[in-house]
Amino acid sequence: MLNVSYHNTSAQLPDDLSHVFGTLCFAPEIPHALTDFDTAMQVMMRVLDGKTHFFETLHTDTALKTQVEGDIRYRYNDVLLFGVITLDETRFANSVDSAPLQTASQSAYEQIFAVLESHDFPFVLRFWNYMADINGISHGLERYRQFNLGRQQAFSAKQRAFNVPAACALGTNVGPLTIAFLTGRTPSLPIENPRQISAYDYPLQYGPRSPLFSRASVTSIADSTLLFLSGTASIVGHETLHADDVAAQTEESIANVEAVLNEACRKTGKQFELASLHYIVYVRHPADLPTIKAVLQHRVGPGFKAAYVQADICRSDLLVEIEGAAELS
């Protein structure tokens, strides 16, 4: 069994952390209650809408084993493994053939794949990727494209390009490369968006290596079904639409979410609706928050559940990105 829950204070986290795979803590610092919890991962982003913290927590109904291997901290049972890794790019400042972020990304993913091989968890279900200055240019290339290069080099070395999970990649103001991952022993079902070209088929204008993720994935564990929605923005085909119009970008983003959910319904026979998900909404400019909230609440309705976080998005012309998760019994 896998459950995903969302909270705004650490007091709402389970008292017994022995059944918690890990938590992503969007906050300026890790709360004291989690400082000794190996798989509490800080995401250095400002939470909006009057909140100071936000927690995305994965937990189960069985006791978990904890282990540290290299830079990775992880917890697992017989069915699932969740881990986190943070790498300071300055460790790779002397890289000869690639930018430090590219080398750090390749190192992180190589370490992840080594852990999965040693514990026989061949299928990645979800990645969370965060890095500073994602749209910045260094070493002649945008930093997000450097990350994609390093990530794909690790995938290719392990011949893992065929296993493309749900994922997000967002930018922080400061901080190390920060990655969380969830893996299993059975594959998830990848979901693509008929309104978009698959990210791994993007043309070369978006960088020398394409991003590696599916638009969503559906995982069945025991008697439950979990959908992970990847970061979704105002892209149709492969092009950004509605530059400088945050309301129109939000409308287009939620249209893409709806298209992904419809495709998930078609492929699984299960019912996923807009109000089924709990969302994380990444907002480039905090001043746009009222407009974004108004559009989403109008489109999804009174059942809309979301946390709003300030973040840079993988394309500099994107103003908002939406991800989420939903559980169905």
Side-chain angles (χ1 to χ4, degrees):
M1 179 70 72
L2 174 67
N3 301 107
V4 183
S5 59
Y6 302 88
H7 311 288
N8 288 117
T9 71
S10 58
Q12 295 173 309
L13 295 171
D15 293 329
D16 181 5
L17 295 178
S18 65
H19 291 185
V20 175
F21 281 107
T23 185
L24 278 66
C25 174
F26 295 79
E29 60 184 19
I30 291 281
H32 179 72
L34 295 174
T35 52
D36 295 325
F37 187 51
D38 281 340
T39 50
M41 186 179 86
Q42 182 185 12
V43 182
M44 298 180 70
M45 292 179 178
R46 174 187 167 197
V47 184
L48 304 175
D49 206 23
K51 309 295 192 304
T52 58
H53 292 73
F54 175 69
F55 301 90
E56 182 178 9
T57 303
L58 291 81
H59 45 96
T60 184
D61 52 1
T62 63
L64 300 170
K65 300 175 183 177
T66 304
Q67 200 161 327
V68 178
E69 192 167 327
D71 297 298
I72 298 179
R73 310 178 304 279
Y74 58 99
R75 309 195 83 195
Y76 63 100
N77 58 17
D78 291 337
V79 180
L80 295 165
L81 182 151
F82 175 85
V84 300
I85 179 170
T86 58
L87 288 180
D88 187 337
E89 293 174 45
T90 60
R91 286 174 48 181
F92 306 93
N94 295 325
S95 299
V96 175
D97 298 325
S98 61
L101 177 58
Q102 178 183 337
T103 309
S105 302
Q106 182 174 352
S107 174
Y109 272 82
E110 287 175 345
Q111 289 187 61
I112 290 168
F113 293 148
V115 166
L116 304 191
E117 288 177 357
S118 68
H119 289 281
D120 191 26
F121 284 94
F123 300 105
V124 182
L125 310 179
R126 172 76 157 94
F127 277 119
W128 295 258
N129 302 284
Y130 305 97
M131 66 208 74
D133 192 23
I134 194 170
N135 303 128
I137 306 294
S138 69
H139 300 82
L141 192 65
E142 184 188 48
R143 283 173 52 79
Y144 177 56
R145 300 181 184 194
Q146 296 172 20
F147 166 77
N148 284 331
L149 269 170
R151 172 169 60 175
Q152 190 166 102
Q153 285 167 335
F155 265 80
S156 298
K158 295 294 183 180
Q159 296 185 330
R160 280 186 167 269
F162 64 89
N163 176 216
V164 183
C168 63
L170 283 305
T172 61
N173 288 328
V174 295
L177 174 66
T178 302
I179 301 171
F181 57 96
L182 176 69
T183 67
R185 292 204 161 104
T186 57
S188 59
L189 176 67
I191 307 294
E192 292 301 318
N193 182 350
R195 302 180 80 231
Q196 296 176 317
I197 292 173
S198 296
Y200 44 81
D201 287 331
Y202 278 173
L204 286 174
Q205 69 192 76
Y206 300 104
R209 292 293 184 272
S210 297
L212 282 172
F213 66 93
S214 58
R215 301 299 180 182
S217 65
V218 177
T219 300
S220 295
I221 301 169
D223 296 328
S224 65
T225 299
L226 185 67
L227 179 139
F228 286 112
L229 173 72
S230 297
T232 304
S234 180
I235 297 171
V236 175
H238 58 78
E239 296 179 336
T240 299
L241 297 189
H242 317 299
D244 301 321
D245 187 338
V246 70
Q249 283 202 16
T250 308
E251 290 273 9
E252 202 71 66
S253 298
I254 204 68
N256 278 327
V257 172
E258 193 166 39
V260 171
L261 297 185
N262 288 340
E263 187 70 3
C265 293
R266 186 186 69 81
K267 294 187 75 170
T268 66
K270 295 184 178 291
Q271 201 63 33
F272 295 98
E273 299 177 351
L274 287 175
S276 302
L277 278 70
H278 194 295
Y279 297 95
I280 302 176
V281 182
Y282 297 98
V283 179
R284 185 180 291 274
H285 304 301
D288 289 335
L289 179 60
T291 300
I292 293 169
K293 284 185 67 176
V295 171
L296 293 176
Q297 289 172 352
H298 173 72
R299 287 283 282 109
V300 182
F304 183 65
K305 306 176 290 291
Y308 298 89
V309 179
Q310 182 181 8
D312 292 329
I313 301 166
C314 62
R315 295 185 186 181
S316 58
D317 54 4
L318 290 173
L319 304 174
V320 60
E321 180 170 303
I322 303 169
E323 66 175 61
E327 297 175 49
L328 292 181
S329 298

